[in-house]
Structures are given as structure tokens and as C-alpha cells.
């Protein structure tokens, strides 16, 4: 596999985007990913996830970073089967006090 980069730009609230790499020959993979948000979460958390064991958008495993409106960042490891999500490990808080106002955000 050749290293590469891509940009996913979500312009609609309450939306998600799934990009997949399907190759039955992959048995081990290393992934490095960078996520940036240009808005602070209000009302609900913003999330960023890497999926694995991916079958489709309704059936997969994922490691999800959840950016809460309180400024906390949590790691959630989940399994989704037929749109039902099950937590596989306890939620782990990775950080607190992250930017909560637009002026605290770093420009993209």
C-alpha cells in the first residue's frame, strides 16, 4: 500500500461520511489519522472514528473520539450490528478543558 492523504469536508450538521478500504488480503495495518473541527460542539458531542472489521455503515467496529460540549475528549470502543451500538470497553476520558469557544480553536 502506498501512503496517501485525503480530506473529508462535512458541510451539513448531523451528517457522517464513511470511506472504506476493502481488501481481503489485509491482515495487519498501521493507521495514522488527523482530524480537525472548525466548530465547537453545541448541544451534542462531535465525534471522529476509525472503523475496522467494516461490513457496511450499519455493521462495524470502531474506535471513536467523542468531543463533548464540556471540553472533555473521550475514547469509546464500540461494535455496531444492525444499527445497534454496544460499548466494548469502559469510556476513557483522554483530556478535559479542550477548546469550547470559537476563539479557542486553532484555524485550519
Amino acid at each position: 500500500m502506498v501512503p496517501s492523504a485525503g480530506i473529508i469536508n462535512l458541510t451539513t450538521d448531523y451528517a457522517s461520511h464513511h470511506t472504506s478500504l476493502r481488501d481481503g488480503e489485509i491482515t495487519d495495518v498501521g493507521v495514522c489519522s488527523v482530524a480537525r473541527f472548525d466548530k465547537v460542539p453545541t448541544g451534542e458531542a462531535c465525534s471522529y472514528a476509525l472503523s475496522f472489521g467494516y461490513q457496511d455503515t450499519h455493521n462495524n467496529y470502531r474506535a471513536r473520539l467523542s468531543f463533548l460540549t464540556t471540553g472533555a475528549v473521550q475514547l469509546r470502543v464500540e461494535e455496531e450490528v444492525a444499527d445497534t451500538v454496544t460499548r466494548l470497553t469502559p469510556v476513557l476520558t483522554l483530556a478535559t478543558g479542550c477548546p469550547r469557544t470559537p476563539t479557542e480553536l486553532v484555524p485550519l
Side-chain angles (χ1 to χ4, degrees), residues 52-70:
F52 47 96
Y54 182 88
Q55 295 175 26
D56 57 41
T57 57
H58 311 286
N59 299 282
N60 58 76
Y61 293 89
R62 63 181 169 239
R64 179 165 62 103
L65 291 177
S66 187
F67 298 83
L68 307 182
T69 58
T70 62

Side-chain angles (χ1 to χ4, degrees), residues 87-108:
R87 190 178 316 139
L88 299 177
T89 64
V91 172
L92 177 62
T93 299
L94 302 175
T96 59
C98 293
R100 291 184 298 268
T101 66
T103 56
E104 293 177 292
L105 292 173
V106 176
L108 297 178

Side-chain angles (χ1 to χ4, degrees), residues 77-92:
V77 180
E78 303 166 330
E79 174 186 31
E80 182 175 5
V81 176
D83 290 327
T84 299
V85 176
T86 302
R87 190 178 316 139
L88 299 177
T89 64
V91 172
L92 177 62

Side-chain angles (χ1 to χ4, degrees), residues 8 14-15 18 22 24-25 39 47-48 52 54-55 72 74 80 100 104-105 108:
I8 298 171
Y14 309 107
H18 299 262
R22 291 179 172 251
E25 300 301 314
K39 295 178 180 68
S47 294
Y48 176 79
F52 47 96
Y54 182 88
Q55 295 175 26
Q74 297 179 333
E80 182 175 5
R100 291 184 298 268
E104 293 177 292
L105 292 173
L108 297 178

